[in-house]
Amino acid sequence: QVQLVESGGGLVQPGGSLRLSCVVFGSTFNFYAVGWYRQAPGKQRELVARIEHDGTTNYAEFVKGRFAISRDNAKNMVNLQMSSLKPEDTALYYCNRIPEFWVGRTAYWGQGTQVSVSS
């Protein structure tokens, strides 16, 4: 059964950096695009960055120039390097294949990793 494991979150001061990692078990990211998403309290989940199977990347306007997504297909891993972090980047960050994984009739999401930006 598929399992997504996100890690690397934490508490950081404004202007700081974090590197998030996402690994999939029981399936693969190969041949698919993968996205990093975030969800802040009281808000809907939003796409932050995506990377295509060929390595092409796209970013939401609010993270362009600050975040960088990368993938290691041999390790079934996708990373998100975040720099110049702002308080508004505080959220629970998730990764998922695009289209997302399904388990039975339900879209599957991992636990996410919390990023908190505060002084």
Side-chain angles (χ1 to χ4, degrees):
Q1 184 168 334
V2 64
Q3 184 181 14
L4 288 164
V5 179
E6 299 96 343
S7 62
L11 174 62
V12 64
Q13 291 186 340
S17 299
L18 283 173
R19 182 176 177 85
L20 307 184
S21 294
C22 169
V23 180
V24 62
F25 298 96
S27 186
T28 180
F29 286 142
N30 292 351
F31 312 115
Y32 290 94
V34 179
W36 274 99
Y37 303 77
R38 70 186 187 187
Q39 187 168 19
K43 295 187 177 181
Q44 288 193 330
R45 184 180 292 148
E46 58 186 355
L47 180 64
V48 172
R50 65 180 282 165
I51 185 165
E52 308 301 323
H53 67 91
D54 64 358
T56 304
T57 58
N58 284 282
Y59 299 92
E61 284 296 325
F62 49 81
V63 303
K64 274 186 179 178
R66 301 189 297 123
F67 291 11
I69 189 171
S70 61
R71 66 190 297 162
D72 185 337
N73 287 338
K75 296 181 179 179
N76 270 320
M77 177 182 289
V78 175
N79 299 309
L80 185 69
Q81 179 67 46
M82 306 187 297
S83 58
S84 301
L85 283 161
K86 305 175 181 180
E88 51 264 43
D89 293 319
T90 295
L92 192 57
Y93 283 71
Y94 302 88
C95 71
N96 212 330
R97 193 187 67 180
I98 300 172
E100 65 266 26
F101 289 108
W102 285 74
V103 177
R105 299 169 66 180
T106 304
Y108 168 79
W109 291 83
Q111 299 281 336
T113 186
Q114 178 67 41
V115 172
S116 299
V117 184
S118 175
S119 55

